[in-house]
């Protein structure tokens, strides 16, 4: 394939175009490298969805085999977590050319760090709303209705505060010299400096991926709606209108939809990779023009990978 340049100043739309070109030119190689973790991830997700769907047969199975039911749920959850990290590490191994184990550890650490930051910030947000409700002496519904502008602004600030993590995490995953927490104050400041660029990139790729994912999820929506209508009819005294193969159909439909969704997620991750490269390029240009700006540890000249595929 034609060699791509990662560290190049791009607009948010150019980042998406570069990610699309990289993804489309190397789709076979990406699928060949990631199909196993994505498949197991799809099986785990399908198992969890099937075990939690409102269904008389699933309820009967859960009551008669309680230990087995919760064991399967636990295995499915663990499989989803580990295979998510595994799948992303396989993609990063193709991009930064480090070993799969090195990337697995990096992706796992980044996932745990993001989860910790999200829990802490979300806890602060919930505590603030709880204090506001207690202070006003009203109910949550009345508090939101009476202060909807405040709720909207605070929620938006919460989202904006997390957006620099898109840059920080991609830098940590790609650059072997990067440190997550030691450099966090400087990298978070850099992310805030490019917050508009990150926001527009995340918004546009979110809309694109969301629309495609919505179309892909239509068969799954139909199955869930059919199941709910059947349950409603049974409660009214009508016989179930679902075929005997409904649960296997739900399982395999969820499997296919999950796999499609994960390759859409890979496309989104590549977009954030080019966004990171663009920010690094802009910061390098900024350092040339202002030597007083603190310099982040240098990164090696990129050798965007996938050319080996």
């Amino acid at each position: 394939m034609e060699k791509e340049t990662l560290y190049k100043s791009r607009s948010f739309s150019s980042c998406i175009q570069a990610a699309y070109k990289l993804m489309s030119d190397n789709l076979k190689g990406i699928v060949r490298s990631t199909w196993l973790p994505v498949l197991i991830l799809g099986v785990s997700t399908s198992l969890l969805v099937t075990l939690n769907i409102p269904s008389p047969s699933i309820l009967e199975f859960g009551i008669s085999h309680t230990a087995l039911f919760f064991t399967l749920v636990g295995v499915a959850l663990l499989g989803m977590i580990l295979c998510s990290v595994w799948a992303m590490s396989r993609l990063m191994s193709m991009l930064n050319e480090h070993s799969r184990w090195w990337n697995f550890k990096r992706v796992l650490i980044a996932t745990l760090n993001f989860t910790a930051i999200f829990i802490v910030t979300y806890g602060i947000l919930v505590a603030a709303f709880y204090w506001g409700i207690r202070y006003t002496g009203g109910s949550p519904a009345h508090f939101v209705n009476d202060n909807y502008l405040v709720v909207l602004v605070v929620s938006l600030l919460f989202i904006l505060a997390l957006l620099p993590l898109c840059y920080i995490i991609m830098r940590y995953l790609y650059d072997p010299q990067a440190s997550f927490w030691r450099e966090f104050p400087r990298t978070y400041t850099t992310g805030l400096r490019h917050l508009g660029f990150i926001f527009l990139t995340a918004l546009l790729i979110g809309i694109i991926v969301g629309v495609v994912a919505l179309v892909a999820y239509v068969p799954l929506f139909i199955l869930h709606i059919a199941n709910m209508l059947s349950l409603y009819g049974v409660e009214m005294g009508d016989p179930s209108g679902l075929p005997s193969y409904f649960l296997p159909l739900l399982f395999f439909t969820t499997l296919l939809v999950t796999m499609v969704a994960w390759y859409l997620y890979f496309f989104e991750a590549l977009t954030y990779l080019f966004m990171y490269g663009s920010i690094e390029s802009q910061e390098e240009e900024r350092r040339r023009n202002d030597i007083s700006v603190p310099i982040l540890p240098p990164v090696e000249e990129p050798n965007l990978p996938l050319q080996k595929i």
Side-chain angles (χ1 to χ4, degrees):
M1 61 167 286
E2 206 175 300
K3 185 178 179 180
E4 298 278 353
T5 302
L6 176 60
Y7 298 103
K8 176 182 177 182
S9 181
R10 292 180 170 89
S11 65
F12 61 91
S13 58
S14 296
C15 291
I16 297 176
Q17 293 173 1
Y20 176 77
K21 186 177 188 307
L22 187 63
M23 184 86 176
S24 58
D25 289 348
N26 301 276
L27 184 59
K28 289 183 179 179
I30 294 174
V31 172
R32 187 168 60 245
S33 180
T34 60
W35 72 269
L36 183 57
V38 170
L39 176 62
I40 300 176
L41 177 61
V43 171
S44 300
T45 305
S46 302
L47 180 60
L48 188 65
V49 170
T50 304
L51 289 174
N52 285 277
I53 191 172
S55 170
S57 57
I58 294 296
L59 180 61
E60 181 181 352
F61 172 76
I63 294 175
S64 57
H65 304 86
T66 306
L68 178 60
F69 177 85
F70 284 105
T71 299
L72 290 175
V73 170
V75 169
L77 282 172
L78 184 62
M80 288 175 61
I81 296 171
L82 292 179
C83 289
S84 298
V85 176
W86 184 14
M88 189 62 189
S89 65
R90 282 290 186 92
L91 178 67
M92 293 308 302
S93 296
M94 302 171 67
L95 294 167
N96 58 27
E97 299 184 319
H98 288 283
S99 69
R100 291 175 176 177
W101 175 240
W102 186 91
N103 280 289
F104 184 88
K105 291 188 292 184
R106 280 264 170 161
V107 174
L108 180 60
I109 293 173
T111 302
L112 293 175
N113 288 339
F114 173 79
T115 303
I117 293 173
F118 180 83
I119 291 175
V120 171
T121 53
Y122 186 74
I124 294 173
L125 181 66
V126 171
F129 279 121
Y130 177 76
W131 179 83
I133 294 170
R134 289 289 301 272
Y135 180 77
T136 56
S139 66
H142 289 159
F143 176 80
V144 172
N145 289 333
D146 296 339
N147 304 276
Y148 64 93
L149 286 178
V150 175
V151 173
L152 181 62
V153 170
V154 172
S155 301
L156 181 60
L157 290 176
F158 171 73
I159 296 173
L160 293 177
L162 293 177
L163 278 179
L165 292 176
C166 297
Y167 160 73
I168 295 172
I169 290 175
M170 290 312 302
R171 181 177 184 273
Y172 179 73
L173 294 181
Y174 189 82
D175 182 7
Q177 306 299 323
S179 172
F180 195 96
W181 290 113
R182 188 176 67 248
E183 300 171 350
F184 187 81
R186 287 186 295 173
T187 53
Y188 189 80
T189 302
T190 301
L192 288 178
R193 193 156 46 240
H194 298 271
L195 188 59
F197 175 59
I198 298 174
F199 174 77
L200 290 175
T201 305
L203 179 64
L204 185 56
I205 190 60
I207 292 174
I208 294 173
V209 170
V211 170
V212 178
L214 184 63
V215 174
Y217 272 87
V218 166
L220 199 56
F221 293 152
I222 293 173
L223 291 178
H224 281 281
I225 292 173
N227 180 67
M228 296 304 297
L229 292 176
S230 175
L231 290 176
Y232 181 75
V234 170
E235 290 180 359
M236 298 295 292
D238 298 331
S240 175
L242 297 178
S244 58
Y245 56 83
F246 175 78
L247 290 180
L249 178 63
L250 175 67
F251 182 91
F252 286 106
T253 303
T254 306
L255 172 62
L256 293 175
V257 169
T258 301
M259 295 181 70
V260 170
W262 260 88
Y263 284 102
L264 288 174
Y265 173 69
F266 287 156
F267 170 51
E268 188 173 8
L270 291 176
T271 299
Y272 290 136
L273 176 68
F274 283 104
M275 181 193 73
Y276 147 73
S278 179
I279 292 175
E280 288 292 288
S281 175
Q282 294 173 34
E283 284 297 300
E284 179 63 28
E285 184 65 27
R286 182 171 178 270
R287 286 193 290 268
R288 292 197 190 100
N289 297 331
D290 185 3
I291 59 173
S292 65
V293 175
I295 300 177
L296 291 174
V299 294
E300 297 178 358
E301 184 68 20
N303 184 18
L304 244 194
L306 293 176
Q307 58 221 35
K308 289 191 173 182
I309 300 175

